[in-house]
Amino acid sequence: MCGFVGYIGERPPVTRERLDLMRDTLEHRGPDGAGTFVYRDSAIAVGLGHRRLSIIDTREVGAQPMHHAARGLTIAFNGEIYDFADLRSSLEKQGGHTFQTRTDTEVILHAYEAYGLDVLKTLDGMFAFALWDARERRLLLARDRLGKKPLYLGRTRDGALVFGSELKSLLASGGFDPSVDRQALFDYLALNYVPGPRTMLNGISKLPPAHALVWQQGETRQFRYWDQRFYSVSGAGQSPRRPSERQAVSLVRDELRSAVRRRLVSDVPIGMFLSGGIDSSAVLRYMAELQTSPVFAFTIRFPEASYDESKQAALVARKFGAHHVIEEVTPNADEFFEPLVNSLDEPFADSSAIPMWYLARAARRHVTVALGGDGGDEVFAGYRTHRAYRLANLYRRLPAPLREQLIPALVARLPVSHRKVSFDLQARQFVAAASETPARAHFGFKAFLTDAARRELLLASSALDDTARLFEQAFSAHAFDDALDGVLYCDFQLYLPDDILVKVDRMTMAHGLEARSPFLDHRLVEAVAALPSSFKLKGLRTKHLLKRALWGQVPLSILERSKAGFNVPISTWLSGPLRSLLRDTLSPSRVKAMGHFSAPLVGRMMDEHDTRQKDHGRSLWALLCFAAWHARFVEAPRP
C-alpha cells in the first residue's frame, strides 16, 4: 500500500525537485520509503515518484519505482495483488522470467512483459499503477475493478499529463489554477460526495474503476477492461439456468472464505474492523477459522445510545475469541476536523469518515493491515434504499389521492428528530421519490437536497444538469430486466467508489494503515451478481442470501437486527459541540466571500436546525466540509 505521482509529455512540466515535492505530499500513504525515476530524450519526458508502505517483502530490494531493466519497464504501484504467488509461479513455468524480490510489484512487471495490456485481466486485487514501457514508448495507467485505489489525472498548462494517488499531489505540481467545478458542486450538494469522473476542481479528473489509460506518441486512449454481468442481463436474450438457493448459499460460503484467505497474506501484523453488523461479523468468522492466533478486532463506541454498536461487536468478538479493542469517539473538532479535510482532498460529507478516522488510528497502534466489511451491502442488497425500491413498487399502486395528497401531508407533519436514521427523515425522502422511475427514485432515496433546493442555495445554477442523470446513465448501461439489478449496478458505479471506498482509503492511509475488503473480491462480486436478485432481497428482507450463508455460524441476534450503518450523530453535534465551528465557518461574510451560496439561505438553514424546525444536519455538514476544503485547496492552496 503506497502512493505515487508522475507525468508524461514532450517536456518535463516540473523539475526533479518539484516532482519530489509532489511525491512527498503522499508521505502519509508511504512512510517507509521514497523513490523517484526520471527519463528524458529529445521527444519525450517521463517522471515517476513513489512513497512506500512496506507490507510484502519489506526489504530495500522491494523499493519503488521498480525496474525490469532487461525489458525496459518501470512501475510505480499502489495496492496489493492477492494472487501474485500463483501468477509468479505461472510465469516461471512459462520460462524466461527470473525474479529478484518476493513482491507483487515485480510480478506485475513480468506479467506485463508476458501479456501486454491484457495484464489487467490477470490481476486479482486492489491497485492503481503507472507503468512506463521504454521500448514501446508507452505509459499505462490503470485502476482496479471496483475502484478501491484512487488515481487522479490532469493536463498542465503546457499539455503534459500529470497523475497521482491524491488530488493534492497534482496541485503540488504548480501546473493547475484551482477553480471549482460548478457541476461537481451541484452534484455534491445532492449526494454529499463528488461522483466521478469529475472532481471538485476544473481540469482534474479521476480515472474510473476498471479502466485503463494508455499514452503513446502524444495520444491518449481510455478503455474499460472489466464489468459486472448481472443475472437479469447475463443470458444474451435468454435467462441463465437458475441455481437453487442451497447451491447459492454454498457458493457464497466458498467464495467468501477464499476471499478472506487471499487477504491474509502479509509480512506485517494484520487485524480487522468490527462494527457489530453482519458484514464485519462474517469477516471475523472466517478470519478466526483461517488464523491460528486470536484476531485483533477494532471497534468504535459512541456516547449516544442510538449510534453505539459496541455491545453487538463485543458479542461477536467473544463468540470468535478475538482480541477486542474498543475506542470511544466524542466530537472533538480540534482533533479530527483539519486532518479530515486535508486527508480527503475533496469536499466529502459522509460523516462516517469521522469514526473511520478514529478507528484507523486505533488499529494502526497495533497492526499495519486491517480487513473490513465494506462492499457487503452493495453485493448482497443490504441498504434501506434497496428495501425502499421494493416498497416503491407497492406505493405506486396506491390511489393517486393517497400518494399525492394525504400521505405527503401526514409525513410533512412528523416531528423532526436528530436520532440516527430517524423515521421522519426516511419517510420524507421516500414519499418525495417513490413515484418516480426506478433510476430517479433510487436517486431520490439517496439525495439529501432536492434539485429545487440546490438551485435556490447555489448561486447562478440555471445551466447545471440534473444530478439524477448520473443514475439514469448507470441504469442505461445494460438492459436490466430486473430493476433491482439496475439499482445494485448503480451503487457499484457511484456510491461505492466515490463514497464508501474514498472514505476507507483516505482515512486508513492518513494513518499509514492498509485496508482490505473481502466482500469486494471480484470473484465473489461476479458470482453473486450472476444470482437472481430475489436471493439477495427476499420480500423486504435485505441480505437474505448472506444471512442464510451465516445461519448457525454468527449469533442470531446479529443476523436478525436492523441495519445500523457506520454513522455519527452529526445533526446533534452541529447544534451542540460543533455549533461554534459551524457558525464561524459559515458566517455570512465567509459565505459571501466564497461566492457560491446564498448567505441568507445558509443562515436560515442553521437557525431552523438549531430550533428543530427542520433537520438540516447532513446538508449543513456538507456545506461546512466544502467551506473548509475551499479555504484549504482553493483560497490558499499549498503542498
Side-chain angles (χ1 to χ4, degrees):
M1 195 61 54
C2 311
F4 66 89
V5 298
Y7 65 78
I8 189 167
E10 294 181 358
R11 61 183 63 86
V14 296
T15 63
R16 172 68 176 260
E17 291 73 22
R18 176 67 70 162
L19 180 61
D20 287 346
L21 178 63
M22 294 168 60
R23 178 199 69 192
D24 290 341
T25 63
L26 305 175
E27 183 178 2
H28 55 284
R29 298 185 74 94
D32 298 332
T36 302
F37 163 79
V38 172
Y39 170 90
R40 187 177 184 184
D41 62 25
S42 60
I44 195 170
V46 180
L48 296 174
H50 187 267
R51 294 291 320 198
R52 186 185 186 198
L53 176 64
S54 301
I55 302 294
I56 296 174
D57 196 347
T58 60
R59 299 173 299 163
E60 182 61 29
V61 71
Q64 297 187 48
M66 183 176 288
H67 310 284
H68 181 1
R71 179 60 178 79
L73 304 177
T74 302
I75 189 172
F77 166 61
N78 168 28
E80 298 290 344
I81 305 303
Y82 299 122
D83 64 344
F84 79 95
D86 293 339
L87 184 54
R88 172 176 172 155
S89 177
S90 175
L91 290 166
E92 287 175 330
K93 289 176 182 177
Q94 291 179 24
H97 296 281
T98 302
F99 294 88
Q100 308 301 317
T101 75
R102 300 192 306 270
T103 66
D104 48 358
T105 309
E106 188 180 13
V107 172
I108 298 174
L109 285 171
H110 284 265
Y112 174 84
E113 179 187 13
Y115 306 117
L117 297 181
D118 284 339
V119 64
L120 298 169
K121 299 175 183 178
T122 72
L123 303 179
D124 172 18
M126 54 180 180
F127 58 84
F129 64 78
L131 193 157
W132 166 240
D133 184 337
R135 290 186 185 178
E136 298 293 332
R137 300 173 67 78
R138 177 169 71 192
L139 179 75
L140 170 63
L141 299 175
R143 194 174 174 204
D144 66 67
R145 294 169 179 83
L146 281 308
K148 286 168 273 189
K149 294 291 103 183
L151 185 50
Y152 288 86
L153 312 167
R155 291 277 186 178
T156 61
R157 302 180 192 94
D158 60 3
L161 177 66
V162 180
F163 48 88
S165 297
E166 294 184 5
L167 187 146
K168 67 171 68 69
S169 64
L170 273 68
L171 290 181
S173 72
F176 301 91
D177 296 318
S179 62
V180 172
D181 182 325
R182 301 275 295 173
Q183 182 65 56
L185 176 54
F186 189 66
D187 297 338
Y188 164 78
L189 291 173
L191 301 172
N192 283 4
Y193 61 87
V194 180
R198 291 181 184 272
T199 72
M200 191 58 80
L201 293 178
N202 287 308
I204 299 177
S205 62
K206 305 161 191 162
L207 184 67
H211 279 70
L213 183 147
V214 174
W215 187 103
Q216 196 165 22
Q217 296 181 340
E219 301 294 327
T220 59
R221 66 181 179 93
Q222 187 171 301
F223 62 92
R224 183 172 199 135
Y225 65 87
W226 178 86
D227 200 2
Q228 290 167 278
R229 178 67 72 175
F230 280 85
Y231 178 84
S232 65
V233 295
S234 60
Q238 294 183 343
S239 295
R241 185 177 67 85
R242 183 184 179 95
S244 69
E245 193 171 293
R246 178 177 293 181
Q247 289 172 321
V249 165
S250 178
L251 173 68
V252 167
R253 287 174 176 167
D254 291 344
E255 291 291 352
L256 188 53
R257 180 183 289 107
S258 297
V260 172
R261 179 186 291 112
R262 283 190 283 271
R263 282 156 182 79
L264 292 179
V265 176
S266 174
D267 292 338
V268 294
I270 192 166
M272 60 94 58
F273 301 137
L274 184 62
S275 69
I278 296 171
D279 302 331
S280 63
S281 298
V283 173
L284 176 54
R285 177 256 180 273
Y286 286 108
M287 285 185 73
E289 174 189 317
L290 295 167
Q291 285 194 181
T292 56
S293 57
V295 177
F296 258 106
F298 305 93
T299 297
I300 287 298
R301 175 167 57 208
F302 295 103
E304 293 85 352
S306 68
Y307 290 81
D308 182 36
E309 296 184 87
S310 61
K311 291 181 181 178
Q312 291 82 6
L315 171 66
V316 181
R318 286 194 299 271
K319 163 76 175 176
F320 296 108
H323 182 81
H324 196 200
V325 178
I326 300 176
E327 173 131 334
E328 183 162 313
V329 169
T330 54
N332 182 353
D334 291 337
E335 183 175 41
F336 72 75
F337 190 64
E338 185 174 346
L340 212 68
V341 172
N342 192 53
S343 298
L344 286 163
D345 266 359
E346 293 188 79
F348 184 86
D350 183 339
S351 60
S352 63
I354 300 170
M356 190 71 231
W357 187 84
Y358 281 102
L359 185 60
R361 187 182 70 172
R364 188 62 179 89
R365 296 182 182 127
H366 303 271
V367 301
T368 311
V369 177
L371 275 63
D374 302 292
D377 291 307
E378 288 80 7
V379 174
F380 289 99
Y383 289 123
R384 289 182 177 85
T385 51
H386 300 149
R387 186 187 290 123
Y389 152 80
R390 187 64 52 79
L391 289 170
N393 289 336
L394 302 174
Y395 187 79
R396 294 186 192 103
R397 300 174 190 173
L398 294 176
L402 282 179
R403 283 187 291 109
E404 298 170 6
Q405 298 174 21
L406 181 60
I407 294 178
L410 291 173
V411 167
R413 296 171 63 89
L414 289 172
V416 173
S417 169
H418 286 180
R419 287 178 61 83
K420 182 177 185 178
V421 197
S422 60
F423 176 73
D424 63 292
L425 177 63
Q426 295 181 70
R428 289 185 177 90
Q429 281 190 291
F430 180 81
V431 299
S435 296
E436 299 280 359
T437 63
R440 298 188 74 87
H442 190 50
F443 164 70
F445 297 150
K446 287 183 170 290
F448 296 103
L449 281 176
T450 65
D451 185 272
R454 284 177 287 139
R455 293 187 189 279
E456 183 183 6
L457 177 63
L458 191 61
L459 303 176
S461 61
S462 59
L464 300 176
D465 295 329
D466 182 2
T467 305
R469 78 195 184 283
L470 300 171
F471 289 68
E472 291 175 327
Q473 289 166 7
F475 269 73
S476 65
H478 300 286
F480 295 105
D481 293 332
D482 183 337
L484 182 57
D485 281 345
V487 166
L488 295 173
Y489 185 76
C490 187
D491 285 344
F492 272 103
Q493 301 307 302
L494 293 167
Y495 184 60
L496 179 70
D498 294 321
D499 186 314
I500 299 298
L501 295 179
V502 167
K503 172 188 67 181
V504 174
D505 176 79
R506 306 308 190 274
M507 296 299 94
T508 55
M509 286 281 83
H511 297 284
L513 177 75
E514 177 179 308
R516 298 178 179 177
S517 305
F519 281 102
L520 295 179
D521 183 284
H522 79 272
R523 295 181 180 91
L524 174 63
V525 170
E526 290 173 346
V528 179
L531 296 173
S533 67
S534 60
F535 285 8
K536 306 162 202 175
L537 182 65
K538 191 160 190 174
L540 295 180
R541 179 180 168 84
T542 56
K543 288 187 182 170
H544 170 73
L545 183 59
L546 181 60
K547 291 172 182 176
R548 278 286 313 275
L550 297 174
W551 193 265
Q553 303 182 38
V554 169
L556 182 62
S557 61
I558 300 297
L559 297 181
E560 294 301 321
R561 66 190 292 255
S562 299
K563 178 174 176 58
F566 195 41
N567 299 314
V568 298
I570 199 65
S571 291
T572 301
W573 289 2
L574 288 174
S575 58
L578 299 185
R579 186 178 184 277
S580 295
L581 174 67
L582 178 70
R583 292 281 180 172
D584 290 345
T585 307
L586 296 179
S587 66
S589 60
R590 296 189 68 177
V591 172
K592 289 177 183 177
M594 278 191 292
H596 298 293
F597 308 115
S598 164
L601 182 52
V602 172
R604 190 176 78 207
M605 290 172 66
M606 290 191 288
D607 291 341
E608 289 175 344
H609 186 77
D610 275 348
T611 58
R612 297 207 173 194
Q613 296 176 58
K614 293 183 180 179
D615 181 1
H616 291 300
R618 297 185 183 188
S619 295
L620 288 174
W621 178 247
L623 291 172
L624 174 61
C625 292
F626 175 85
W629 169 86
H630 193 273
R632 166 69 178 83
F633 287 91
V634 178
E635 298 169 30
R638 62 184 185 277

